Each structure stands twice: as C-alpha cells, then as structure tokens.
Amino acid sequence: MSDNPFFAPSTLVYELPPFAEIREEHYRPAFDRGMADQLAEAAAIAANPEPPTFENTVVALERSGAVLRRVTAAFFNQDSSDTTPGIQELDAEISPRLAAHADAIHLDAALFARLDALHAARHELGLDAESLRLLERRHTAFVRAGARLDADGQRRLREINAELAADAAAFRKNTHDASLAGAVAVDSAAALDGLSATAVAAAAENARALGQDGRWVLSLKNFSNQSELAALTDRALRERLLTASLRRGLDTNGPLAARMAALRAERAALLGHPSHASYVVADETAGTVEAVSAMLGRLVAPAVANAEREAADLAAAAAADGIAELAAHDWAFYAEKVRAERYEVDTAALRPYFELERVLRDGVFHAANLAYGLTFTERPDLTAYHPDARVFEVFDADGSALGLFIGDFHARESKRGGAWMNELVPQSRLLGTRPVVVNNLNIARPAPGEAALLSWDEVRTLFHEFGHALHGLFSDVHYPSFAGTEVPRDFVEFPSQVNEMWMTRPEVLAHYARHHVTGEPLDAAVVERMLAAENYGQGFRTVEYLAAALLDWAWHTRTAADPVVADPEEFEARALAGAGIALAAVPPRYRTGYFNHVFSNGYSAGYYAYIWSEVLDAETVEWFGANGRGVRESGQLFRERLLSRGGSRDALECVRDVLGREPEIGPLLARRGLE
C-alpha cells in the first residue's frame, strides 16, 4: 500500500511515528518491504566491485534498513503496550522471520569477507575512536552470529534462531494470557479489608474494565509477591493471590522454557561456548561465567542470614495472631506490621503524599532539572500510540530542544506487566535523528475523579525508568548502533538505578511528597523514619532477587549434553536448593512460568545484571554526594562522561572516567546490609 506510514520518514517533530495514521494492517507490508529493502542494501554492499572501505561497508550497513527500523520500533512498542490478538498473531509470524533476516545478513560470506578485511587492517585506516569501535563491534557481532561456522553449522544455527524467536513470541503471549487469567476477583469490598479506599475503588474500576461490573479484581503484576499482600487482612485471600501469581504460566511456559534453554545451550556449543551463559557474558562487562558466579555466590550466605533474622521477627508477630508457621503469603503482611511498629511508618498511609502527577512533575522532572538543567513541556497536540500515553518535549539547559519523552503510566488489559523503557527513534548524527523515548509502568487506574496515588515502590519505579529515559535522551553519538541504551546488558541498568537516588534526596523529596488534597508536606520526622525503614527488609529483597538471578543462571549454565528438563518445577526446586537460597517463605521474584526477562525480553543469562550494575550504582551515588562539587556540576560530568556516550566507548572506561578509579563492591554490601 503506497500510503503506508512506515515507507517514508515521519514528517512530525523528532520523526515521532505518525500514530494517528498507523493501523494494524500497515505492519505486515512494512515488515515485508523493510526486510526486502535491507537485504537488497546488504547484497549491494557485498557485491560492490570497489575494495572495502569503512564508508562503503560499515557506514553503509549503519544506514541500511530504514523502513525496518521504523516499523520494528513501533510494532514491538505496541505489542508490549497495547497489544491485540492480531498483533500477537503477527508477533508469532514476524519474530522468526526477523531472526532469519538477521541470519541472512550476518551469515553472508561475501559481506563478512569485506568486514573481516577491514577489521584486519583497522589500525591502519585512520579512523576516529567511535568509528574504530563501530568496526570492531560490527565484526564481533558477525562472528558471534556464526559468520565463521561451516555450512552445516550455519544451517543448524538458522534453524535454532528461528525456533527460539517463535518460542519467545509464544512465551510473551502465554505470559500475558496467564496473567489475565490469574487475576483474583472477589464479590465484596469487605473482602479487601486492609487496602486503602483508593485501592478498593481502583479494584472496582479494574473489574469494570475487565467486564466484571459489581466485583473487585486484583490483576497480577509481573513479579511474584503482589503489592496487596502487605495490606490484605484476609489470610486466605492473601494465599489465593500469591498462589495465582506463583502458578501462572507453569503449564504452558514451563515446557517452553525447558526447550528454549536446551536450544540456547546447543547454539552456544555451535559457537564454541560450553553454555549459553558463557556465550552471553563473553560480550558483557562481566566477561566470564566465573566472575558472575563468584559475585552471586558471595552474596547468598549473608543475604539468607539477613532474611532468616527477619523471618524470626515476622514469625513472632504472626504467632501473636495465632499463626503457628509463617508462610510466603504472610511475609509482606507481617513485614509491614513490624515496620510500622519499629519505625512508626505506615506505608499505606503515605500514599496520599505520592500522587502520580506531582511525583512526575515535582519529583522526577524536578530532579532532572536540578541535576541536568532539563525542562519539560507537555505536547497534547502530538498523538501517541494510546490515549493514556502522554507526550512531553524535553529542552536542554540552554533552551535547545533535546527530544521527546512519552509517559504511559497506567495498567490496562492490553499492556504486559512490569515497567520498561523503549526507544521509538534513536539519536544519531549520521541519520540526523533526535531521541524519542517511552516509559511504561503499570499503576492501577484510579476510579473516575480520583487521584492516582502511588506506593513507595511505584515511586521508585517511576524514577528508575526515567533513568533509562535519560540514557536515551542524553545520547550524543554519531552511529545509531551506539545510541542511548545500546550498551552491554549488565551495564544498562546502571544509569536507571543511579536515578533512583533522587527520590530520597531532601531537595527532591520535599518538593514532591505533599498531600494530594491539602498540599501539606510530608512531616520531616516521618521522612526520617521512612528513610530508616528503607533498610528494613533488605534480607527479603536480596534473597528474592538472588533466587531469580540464580534460577536464570541454572537454566543457562546447562550444556548441550544435558537432557531437556522434563519437570521445570522440580528443576527450579533443585536449582534453588543447590544454590543455597531455597527459602519457602521467600519465593523468587520471578518463577520460570512468567520469567519474561529471560525467556522473551533479552535478559537470558543476564538477570544478574541488576545487582552487577548496582555495584556501580552504589559507588556513583556516593560520588554524587561526596565529590566536592554541586549537584548541577556533578550531573553535567555524569552526563558528558557516561550517559551521553551510549555504546560508543567501553562501559567500564566511562565509569572510571566518572569515579576516577576502579569501582569497588563495598558500598553495595553496606547498602544491602551484607558486610
């Protein structure tokens, strides 16, 4: 169709995709043309009779695939944020085709020969530092994609990649469907005793949106321990809610995960690695399986000891209510009671001080102004992909236009769980593009006329995801392959975790933590107790996270010689016990049945990245507070030396540029009480 909006660059500001014109039927033709165009461009590069040069080979590859780049960004954003049965069906069809398309380019012998020749002579080409890095990274990508395999190896690799892409699409759909099916409905508001009136109203609104008028529905978040567990007084309902969360997806996604782990192990063996984990970390900042295993192993014993001490406190509180044995569905409830008694902080009572709009504008945006000089103007004249999604234009300290930020904050049936950042348009001087980035959260939609009040964890998530957004917005690179968050997977969480620090900085917290009705600031004494209470429960949080990271590690350190796992649930139990982290009352943050991070979203053998990045984060937070500079000056240095560089420099070199030395693990251990 000649009027397909993906066939030409968008004429909107910042090349924002023309969502008002995009219809579902535009996607397949755009994928067809996008892949055909890029294959033709790659073939022309490979067949060029001129000797290979950086411009006619590497830069030409960077410029290729414009239509495919546009449609891929819009499609997978919609698949995550506003999916439909048609989108899910197309995902199942298109994901294997995209895998085959990537293979067709990476396994083109003539194309690789040109790249290989340039790589061999790279130090004699007179390239600037970013161009040299692009050549090296492109060459590495081809080699890691199998360019040096023989014909039989490449044939099997293509088969594996296609199967894995199809399986990942199926895993995404299954998780979405299982989470919807697992939603817990009750027939009276009284059953939700303990939840705030706002949360009860939101559950009624959720039920209405799901076609269950007259009921109250608690939809499942993507992680194991649901936030309502901290407040619900009905123990049986708590058990029902947690069971629904932990059991979802096991029947459909359990066997799929086992198959995917086996295929990944086989692919790793083809590419010369003993396991998928070895293959993954070889191209990350961690470097080796041993380095990751040592770091995770060092944390297990002190984390478990902390959790067991916390469990003793909670068991005593539960015993006072006649509960003989603390269960997993009791933990959050009694942790909240103990926290309230010990620190005199009722986290549910704090929600009125964390209204979404105020946290966004007077918290997240205010912190970005303090640290980096940014200002934000909402653009209601620009149409996003869903009515909930709001577009903001971002301006630099000197008033110049920087990019667009799209905030899509509310949960809905068509959105997958969790929170994430997408790039719709990458920054690139080569392509002449500026960044358009999206943050997605899943905050319960309030009842009509009511304010959206956040939990403390949701406030943290808002700051965290905006850290990813800043990474994209501050990108200042020439080549699109290096834009924004195009960095090693075990580094990408670092800037977002650093941005969490602003939520508790006095000059930021005092600015946004105000009662949504009266405007009264949160009492300073409450703030002090709340910050002290922040450290309570580190044992639980660390064990919950480590259990998920070690479960991912167990799936992906398997070898090609290992048989396919027959019973994923039993495998989970053995893996956690073997790692010394099998606490019945602390389930992993994600179980296999809904572990989208590692089975469909690119974090396979990489969930360790959060705590690996937190080592750098803890160091940087200390640097911000103790380097003798003001916040604005420190922010500018952090932006120039690290956030703006994307993947154009080695990630750890950027960290050393900021800190002035090698990072150390001590601040992380102190933060998590693991010394």
Side-chain angles (χ1 to χ4, degrees), residues 219-295:
S219 288
L220 298 179
K221 288 85 172 174
N222 66 324
F223 39 79
S224 298
N225 275 282
Q226 303 298 296
S227 55
E228 295 87 356
L229 295 172
L232 289 169
T233 60
D234 185 331
R235 191 180 188 221
L237 181 56
R238 294 201 304 267
E239 182 176 15
R240 181 180 161 204
L241 180 60
L242 183 58
T243 299
S245 176
L246 296 176
R247 301 299 305 173
R248 65 184 137 149
L250 279 176
D251 54 344
T252 53
N253 277 346
L256 202 55
R259 167 185 154 87
M260 292 177 75
L263 286 170
R264 286 168 174 168
E266 183 185 353
R267 181 176 61 185
L270 271 176
L271 295 168
H273 289 270
S275 68
H276 180 67
S278 170
Y279 170 77
V280 168
V281 300
D283 202 40
E284 305 290 351
T285 65
T288 66
V289 167
E290 291 74 21
V292 175
S293 296
M295 187 268 292

Coordinates of all heavy atoms in Angstrom, one line a residue, residues 219-295:
S219 N -5.6 -7.5 39.6 CA -4.8 -8.1 38.5 C -3.4 -8.4 38.9 O -2.9 -7.7 39.9 CB -4.8 -7.1 37.3 OG -6.1 -7.1 36.7
L220 N -2.8 -9.3 38.3 CA -1.4 -9.7 38.7 C -0.4 -8.8 38.1 O -0.4 -8.5 36.9 CB -1.1 -11.2 38.3 CG -2.0 -12.3 38.9 CD1 -1.7 -13.6 38.3 CD2 -2.0 -12.3 40.4
K221 N 0.6 -8.3 38.9 CA 1.8 -7.7 38.4 C 2.7 -8.8 37.9 O 2.5 -9.9 38.2 CB 2.4 -6.8 39.5 CG 1.7 -5.6 39.9 CD 0.7 -5.9 40.9 CE 0.0 -4.6 41.5 NZ -1.1 -4.9 42.4
N222 N 3.7 -8.3 37.2 CA 4.6 -9.4 36.6 C 5.5 -10.1 37.5 O 6.0 -11.2 37.2 CB 5.4 -8.7 35.4 CG 6.5 -7.8 35.9 OD1 6.2 -7.1 36.9 ND2 7.6 -7.7 35.3
F223 N 5.7 -9.6 38.8 CA 6.6 -10.3 39.7 C 5.8 -11.2 40.7 O 4.5 -11.1 40.7 CB 7.4 -9.3 40.5 CG 6.6 -8.0 40.9 CD1 5.8 -8.0 41.9 CD2 6.8 -6.9 40.1 CE1 5.0 -6.9 42.3 CE2 6.0 -5.7 40.4 CZ 5.2 -5.7 41.5
S224 N 6.5 -11.9 41.5 CA 5.8 -12.9 42.3 C 5.0 -12.3 43.4 O 3.8 -12.6 43.5 CB 6.9 -13.9 42.9 OG 7.5 -14.6 41.9
N225 N 5.6 -11.6 44.3 CA 4.9 -11.1 45.5 C 4.1 -9.8 45.1 O 4.7 -8.8 44.9 CB 5.9 -10.7 46.6 CG 6.2 -11.9 47.5 OD1 5.4 -12.3 48.3 ND2 7.4 -12.6 47.2
Q226 N 2.8 -10.0 45.2 CA 1.9 -8.9 44.8 C 1.8 -7.8 45.9 O 1.8 -8.1 47.0 CB 0.5 -9.5 44.5 CG 0.5 -10.5 43.4 CD 1.0 -10.0 42.0 OE1 0.4 -9.2 41.4 NE2 2.2 -10.5 41.6
S227 N 1.8 -6.6 45.5 CA 1.8 -5.5 46.4 C 0.7 -5.5 47.5 O 0.9 -5.1 48.6 CB 1.8 -4.1 45.7 OG 0.7 -4.0 44.8
E228 N -0.5 -6.0 47.1 CA -1.6 -6.1 48.0 C -1.4 -7.0 49.2 O -2.0 -6.9 50.2 CB -2.9 -6.5 47.3 CG -3.4 -5.6 46.2 CD -2.7 -5.8 44.9 OE1 -1.8 -6.6 44.7 OE2 -3.1 -5.1 43.9
L229 N -0.4 -7.9 49.1 CA -0.1 -8.9 50.2 C 0.3 -8.1 51.5 O 0.1 -8.7 52.6 CB 1.0 -9.8 49.8 CG 0.6 -10.8 48.6 CD1 1.9 -11.6 48.2 CD2 -0.5 -11.7 49.0
A230 N 0.8 -6.9 51.3 CA 1.3 -6.2 52.5 C 0.1 -5.6 53.3 O 0.3 -5.3 54.5 CB 2.2 -5.1 52.1
A231 N -1.1 -5.6 52.7 CA -2.2 -4.9 53.4 C -3.4 -5.8 53.7 O -4.2 -5.6 54.6 CB -2.6 -3.7 52.6
L232 N -3.7 -6.8 52.8 CA -4.9 -7.6 53.0 C -4.9 -8.3 54.3 O -4.0 -9.1 54.6 CB -5.0 -8.6 51.8 CG -5.3 -8.0 50.4 CD1 -5.1 -9.1 49.4 CD2 -6.7 -7.5 50.4
T233 N -6.0 -8.1 55.1 CA -6.1 -8.8 56.4 C -6.6 -10.2 56.2 O -6.4 -11.1 57.1 CB -7.0 -8.0 57.3 OG1 -8.3 -8.0 56.7 CG2 -6.5 -6.6 57.5
D234 N -7.3 -10.6 55.1 CA -7.8 -11.9 54.9 C -6.7 -12.8 54.5 O -6.2 -12.8 53.4 CB -8.9 -11.8 53.8 CG -9.6 -13.2 53.7 OD1 -9.0 -14.2 53.9 OD2 -10.8 -13.1 53.2
R235 N -6.3 -13.7 55.4 CA -5.1 -14.6 55.1 C -5.4 -15.5 54.0 O -4.5 -15.8 53.2 CB -4.8 -15.4 56.4 CG -3.4 -16.1 56.3 CD -3.0 -16.9 57.5 NE -1.7 -17.4 57.4 CZ -1.3 -18.6 57.8 NH1 -2.2 -19.4 58.3 NH2 -0.1 -19.0 57.6
A236 N -6.6 -16.0 53.9 CA -7.0 -17.0 52.8 C -6.9 -16.3 51.5 O -6.5 -16.8 50.5 CB -8.4 -17.5 53.1
L237 N -7.3 -15.0 51.4 CA -7.2 -14.2 50.2 C -5.8 -14.0 49.8 O -5.4 -14.0 48.6 CB -8.0 -12.9 50.3 CG -8.1 -12.0 49.0 CD1 -8.6 -12.8 47.8 CD2 -8.9 -10.8 49.3
R238 N -5.0 -13.7 50.8 CA -3.5 -13.5 50.6 C -2.9 -14.8 49.9 O -2.2 -14.7 48.9 CB -2.8 -13.2 51.8 CG -3.1 -11.8 52.5 CD -2.0 -11.3 53.4 NE -1.6 -12.3 54.4 CZ -2.1 -12.3 55.7 NH1 -3.1 -11.4 56.0 NH2 -1.7 -13.1 56.6
E239 N -3.3 -15.9 50.5 CA -2.8 -17.2 49.9 C -3.3 -17.4 48.5 O -2.5 -17.8 47.6 CB -3.2 -18.3 50.8 CG -2.7 -19.7 50.3 CD -3.0 -20.8 51.3 OE1 -3.9 -20.7 52.1 OE2 -2.4 -21.9 51.1
R240 N -4.5 -17.1 48.3 CA -5.1 -17.3 47.0 C -4.4 -16.4 45.9 O -4.1 -16.8 44.8 CB -6.6 -16.9 47.0 CG -7.4 -17.0 45.7 CD -8.8 -16.7 45.9 NE -9.5 -16.4 44.7 CZ -10.6 -15.6 44.6 NH1 -11.1 -15.1 45.7 NH2 -11.1 -15.4 43.4
L241 N -4.1 -15.1 46.3 CA -3.5 -14.2 45.4 C -2.1 -14.6 45.1 O -1.6 -14.6 43.9 CB -3.5 -12.8 46.1 CG -2.8 -11.6 45.3 CD1 -3.5 -11.4 43.9 CD2 -2.9 -10.3 46.1
L242 N -1.3 -15.0 46.1 CA 0.1 -15.4 45.9 C 0.1 -16.7 45.1 O 1.0 -16.8 44.2 CB 0.9 -15.5 47.2 CG 2.3 -15.9 47.0 CD1 3.1 -14.8 46.2 CD2 3.0 -16.1 48.4
T243 N -0.8 -17.6 45.4 CA -0.8 -18.9 44.6 C -1.1 -18.6 43.2 O -0.4 -19.2 42.3 CB -1.8 -19.8 45.2 OG1 -1.5 -20.1 46.6 CG2 -1.9 -21.1 44.4
A244 N -2.0 -17.7 42.9 CA -2.3 -17.4 41.5 C -1.1 -16.8 40.8 O -0.8 -17.1 39.6 CB -3.5 -16.4 41.4
S245 N -0.4 -16.0 41.5 CA 0.8 -15.4 41.0 C 1.9 -16.4 40.7 O 2.5 -16.5 39.6 CB 1.4 -14.3 41.9 OG 2.6 -13.8 41.5
L246 N 2.2 -17.3 41.6 CA 3.3 -18.2 41.5 C 3.0 -19.4 40.5 O 3.9 -19.9 39.9 CB 3.6 -18.8 42.9 CG 4.1 -17.9 44.0 CD1 4.3 -18.6 45.3 CD2 5.4 -17.2 43.5
R247 N 1.7 -19.7 40.3 CA 1.4 -20.9 39.5 C 1.2 -20.5 38.0 O 1.2 -21.3 37.1 CB 0.1 -21.5 40.0 CG 0.1 -22.1 41.4 CD 1.2 -23.1 41.6 NE 1.1 -24.2 40.7 CZ 2.0 -25.2 40.6 NH1 3.0 -25.2 41.4 NH2 1.8 -26.2 39.7
R248 N 1.1 -19.2 37.7 CA 0.7 -18.8 36.3 C 1.8 -19.2 35.4 O 3.0 -19.1 35.6 CB 0.5 -17.3 36.3 CG 1.7 -16.5 36.5 CD 1.3 -15.0 36.5 NE 2.0 -14.4 37.7 CZ 2.5 -13.1 37.7 NH1 2.3 -12.3 36.6 NH2 3.1 -12.6 38.7
G249 N 1.4 -19.7 34.2 CA 2.3 -20.0 33.1 C 3.1 -21.3 33.3 O 3.8 -21.7 32.3
L250 N 3.0 -22.0 34.4 CA 3.8 -23.2 34.6 C 3.5 -24.3 33.6 O 4.3 -24.9 33.0 CB 3.7 -23.7 36.0 CG 4.6 -23.0 37.0 CD1 4.3 -23.6 38.4 CD2 6.1 -23.2 36.7
D251 N 2.2 -24.4 33.3 CA 1.7 -25.5 32.4 C 2.1 -25.2 30.9 O 2.6 -26.1 30.2 CB 0.2 -25.7 32.5 CG -0.6 -24.4 32.3 OD1 0.0 -23.3 32.3 OD2 -1.8 -24.5 32.0
T252 N 2.0 -23.9 30.5 CA 2.3 -23.6 29.1 C 3.8 -23.2 28.9 O 4.5 -23.6 28.0 CB 1.4 -22.5 28.6 OG1 1.5 -21.4 29.5 CG2 0.0 -22.9 28.5
N253 N 4.3 -22.3 29.8 CA 5.6 -21.8 29.6 C 6.7 -22.6 30.2 O 7.9 -22.5 29.9 CB 5.7 -20.4 30.2 CG 5.2 -19.3 29.3 OD1 5.0 -19.6 28.1 ND2 4.9 -18.1 29.8
G254 N 6.4 -23.5 31.2 CA 7.4 -24.4 31.8 C 8.1 -25.2 30.7 O 9.3 -25.2 30.5
P255 N 7.3 -26.0 29.9 CA 7.9 -26.8 28.9 C 8.6 -26.0 27.8 O 9.7 -26.3 27.3 CB 6.8 -27.6 28.3 CG 5.7 -27.6 29.4 CD 5.9 -26.3 30.1
L256 N 8.0 -24.8 27.5 CA 8.6 -23.9 26.5 C 10.0 -23.4 27.0 O 11.0 -23.4 26.2 CB 7.7 -22.7 26.3 CG 7.8 -21.9 25.0 CD1 7.7 -22.8 23.8 CD2 6.7 -20.9 25.0
A257 N 10.1 -23.0 28.3 CA 11.4 -22.6 28.9 C 12.4 -23.7 28.8 O 13.6 -23.4 28.5 CB 11.2 -22.1 30.3
A258 N 12.0 -24.9 29.1 CA 13.0 -26.0 29.1 C 13.5 -26.2 27.7 O 14.7 -26.4 27.5 CB 12.3 -27.3 29.6
R259 N 12.6 -26.1 26.7 CA 13.0 -26.3 25.3 C 14.0 -25.1 24.9 O 15.0 -25.4 24.2 CB 11.8 -26.3 24.4 CG 12.0 -26.1 23.0 CD 10.6 -26.1 22.3 NE 10.7 -25.3 21.0 CZ 11.0 -25.9 19.8 NH1 11.2 -27.2 19.8 NH2 11.0 -25.2 18.7
M260 N 13.6 -23.9 25.3 CA 14.4 -22.8 24.9 C 15.8 -22.9 25.5 O 16.8 -22.5 24.9 CB 13.8 -21.5 25.3 CG 12.5 -21.2 24.5 SD 11.7 -19.7 25.1 CE 12.7 -18.4 24.4
A261 N 15.9 -23.3 26.8 CA 17.2 -23.4 27.4 C 18.1 -24.5 26.7 O 19.3 -24.3 26.5 CB 17.0 -23.8 28.9
A262 N 17.4 -25.6 26.3 CA 18.2 -26.6 25.5 C 18.7 -26.1 24.2 O 19.8 -26.3 23.8 CB 17.3 -27.8 25.3
L263 N 17.8 -25.3 23.5 CA 18.2 -24.8 22.2 C 19.3 -23.7 22.4 O 20.3 -23.7 21.5 CB 17.0 -24.1 21.5 CG 16.0 -25.1 20.9 CD1 14.7 -24.3 20.5 CD2 16.5 -25.8 19.7
R264 N 19.2 -22.9 23.4 CA 20.3 -22.0 23.6 C 21.6 -22.6 23.9 O 22.7 -22.2 23.5 CB 19.9 -21.0 24.8 CG 18.8 -20.0 24.4 CD 18.2 -19.3 25.6 NE 17.3 -18.2 25.1 CZ 16.5 -17.6 25.9 NH1 16.5 -17.9 27.2 NH2 15.7 -16.6 25.5
A265 N 21.6 -23.7 24.7 CA 22.8 -24.5 25.0 C 23.4 -25.1 23.7 O 24.6 -25.0 23.5 CB 22.5 -25.6 26.0
E266 N 22.5 -25.6 22.9 CA 23.0 -26.1 21.6 C 23.7 -25.1 20.7 O 24.7 -25.3 20.1 CB 21.9 -26.8 20.9 CG 22.3 -27.5 19.6 CD 21.2 -28.1 18.7 OE1 20.0 -28.1 19.2 OE2 21.4 -28.5 17.6
R267 N 23.0 -23.9 20.7 CA 23.6 -22.8 19.9 C 24.9 -22.4 20.4 O 25.9 -22.1 19.7 CB 22.6 -21.6 19.9 CG 23.1 -20.4 19.0 CD 22.0 -19.3 19.0 NE 21.7 -18.8 20.3 CZ 20.7 -17.9 20.5 NH1 20.0 -17.5 19.5 NH2 20.5 -17.5 21.7
A268 N 25.0 -22.3 21.7 CA 26.3 -21.9 22.4 C 27.4 -22.8 22.0 O 28.5 -22.4 21.7 CB 26.1 -21.8 23.9
A269 N 27.1 -24.2 22.0 CA 28.1 -25.2 21.7 C 28.5 -25.0 20.2 O 29.7 -25.1 19.9 CB 27.5 -26.6 21.9
L270 N 27.6 -24.7 19.3 CA 27.9 -24.5 17.9 C 28.9 -23.3 17.8 O 29.8 -23.3 17.0 CB 26.7 -24.1 17.1 CG 25.9 -25.2 16.5 CD1 24.6 -24.6 15.8 CD2 26.7 -25.9 15.4
L271 N 28.8 -22.3 18.7 CA 29.6 -21.1 18.6 C 30.8 -21.2 19.5 O 31.5 -20.2 19.7 CB 28.7 -19.9 18.9 CG 27.6 -19.6 17.9 CD1 26.6 -18.6 18.5 CD2 28.1 -19.2 16.6
G272 N 31.1 -22.4 20.0 CA 32.3 -22.6 20.7 C 32.3 -22.3 22.2 O 33.3 -22.0 22.8
H273 N 31.1 -22.3 22.8 CA 31.0 -22.0 24.2 C 30.4 -23.1 25.0 O 29.5 -23.8 24.4 CB 30.1 -20.7 24.5 CG 30.8 -19.5 24.0 ND1 31.5 -18.7 24.9 CD2 30.8 -18.8 22.8 CE1 32.0 -17.6 24.2 NE2 31.6 -17.7 23.0
P274 N 30.8 -23.4 26.2 CA 30.2 -24.5 27.0 C 28.8 -24.4 27.4 O 28.1 -25.3 27.7 CB 31.2 -24.6 28.2 CG 31.7 -23.3 28.3 CD 31.9 -22.7 26.9
S275 N 28.3 -23.1 27.4 CA 26.9 -22.9 27.9 C 26.5 -21.6 27.3 O 27.3 -20.7 26.8 CB 26.8 -22.8 29.4 OG 27.5 -21.7 29.9
H276 N 25.1 -21.4 27.3 CA 24.6 -20.1 26.9 C 25.1 -19.0 27.8 O 25.4 -17.8 27.3 CB 23.1 -20.2 26.9 CG 22.4 -18.9 26.5 ND1 22.4 -18.4 25.2 CD2 21.6 -18.0 27.2 CE1 21.8 -17.3 25.1 NE2 21.3 -17.0 26.3
A277 N 25.2 -19.2 29.1 CA 25.7 -18.2 30.0 C 27.1 -17.7 29.5 O 27.5 -16.5 29.5 CB 25.7 -18.7 31.4
S278 N 28.0 -18.7 29.2 CA 29.3 -18.4 28.7 C 29.3 -17.5 27.5 O 30.0 -16.5 27.4 CB 30.1 -19.7 28.5 OG 31.3 -19.4 27.8
Y279 N 28.4 -17.9 26.5 CA 28.3 -17.1 25.3 C 27.8 -15.7 25.6 O 28.4 -14.7 25.1 CB 27.3 -17.8 24.4 CG 26.8 -17.0 23.2 CD1 27.7 -16.8 22.1 CD2 25.6 -16.3 23.2 CE1 27.3 -16.1 21.0 CE2 25.2 -15.5 22.1 CZ 26.1 -15.4 21.0 OH 25.7 -14.6 19.9
V280 N 26.9 -15.5 26.5 CA 26.3 -14.2 26.8 C 27.4 -13.3 27.5 O 27.6 -12.2 27.0 CB 25.0 -14.3 27.6 CG1 24.6 -12.9 28.2 CG2 23.9 -14.9 26.8
V281 N 27.9 -13.8 28.6 CA 28.8 -12.9 29.4 C 30.1 -12.6 28.7 O 30.8 -11.6 29.1 CB 29.0 -13.5 30.8 CG1 27.7 -13.6 31.5 CG2 29.8 -14.7 30.8
A282 N 30.5 -13.4 27.7 CA 31.7 -13.1 27.0 C 31.7 -11.7 26.3 O 32.7 -11.1 26.1 CB 32.0 -14.2 25.9
D283 N 30.5 -11.2 26.0 CA 30.4 -9.9 25.4 C 29.8 -8.9 26.3 O 29.3 -7.8 25.9 CB 29.5 -10.0 24.1 CG 29.7 -8.9 23.2 OD1 30.9 -8.5 23.0 OD2 28.7 -8.4 22.6
E284 N 29.8 -9.2 27.6 CA 29.3 -8.2 28.6 C 30.5 -7.7 29.5 O 31.6 -8.1 29.3 CB 28.3 -8.9 29.6 CG 27.1 -9.6 28.8 CD 26.2 -8.6 28.2 OE1 26.3 -7.4 28.4 OE2 25.3 -9.0 27.4
T285 N 30.2 -6.8 30.4 CA 31.2 -6.2 31.2 C 31.8 -7.3 32.2 O 32.9 -7.2 32.6 CB 30.8 -5.0 32.0 OG1 29.8 -5.3 32.9 CG2 30.3 -3.9 31.1
A286 N 30.9 -8.3 32.5 CA 31.4 -9.3 33.5 C 32.5 -10.2 32.9 O 33.4 -10.6 33.6 CB 30.2 -10.2 33.9
G287 N 32.4 -10.5 31.6 CA 33.4 -11.2 30.9 C 33.4 -12.7 31.0 O 33.6 -13.4 30.0
T288 N 33.2 -13.3 32.2 CA 33.2 -14.7 32.4 C 32.1 -15.2 33.3 O 31.6 -14.5 34.1 CB 34.6 -15.2 33.0 OG1 34.6 -14.7 34.3 CG2 35.7 -14.7 32.2
V289 N 31.8 -16.5 33.1 CA 30.8 -17.2 34.0 C 31.3 -17.2 35.4 O 30.6 -17.0 36.4 CB 30.6 -18.6 33.5 CG1 29.9 -19.4 34.5 CG2 29.8 -18.6 32.2
E290 N 32.6 -17.4 35.5 CA 33.2 -17.5 36.9 C 33.1 -16.1 37.6 O 32.8 -16.1 38.8 CB 34.7 -17.8 36.8 CG 35.0 -19.2 36.3 CD 34.7 -19.4 34.8 OE1 34.7 -18.4 34.0 OE2 34.5 -20.6 34.4
A291 N 33.2 -15.0 36.9 CA 33.1 -13.7 37.6 C 31.7 -13.5 38.1 O 31.5 -13.0 39.2 CB 33.4 -12.6 36.6
V292 N 30.7 -13.9 37.3 CA 29.3 -13.7 37.7 C 29.0 -14.7 38.9 O 28.4 -14.3 39.9 CB 28.3 -14.0 36.6 CG1 26.9 -13.9 37.0 CG2 28.5 -12.9 35.5
S293 N 29.4 -15.9 38.7 CA 29.1 -16.9 39.8 C 29.7 -16.5 41.1 O 29.1 -16.7 42.2 CB 29.6 -18.3 39.3 OG 29.0 -18.8 38.2
A294 N 30.9 -16.0 41.0 CA 31.6 -15.6 42.3 C 30.9 -14.4 42.9 O 30.7 -14.4 44.2 CB 33.1 -15.2 42.0
M295 N 30.4 -13.5 42.1 CA 29.7 -12.3 42.7 C 28.4 -12.8 43.3 O 28.1 -12.4 44.5 CB 29.5 -11.3 41.6 CG 28.9 -10.0 42.2 SD 27.1 -9.9 42.1 CE 26.8 -9.9 40.4

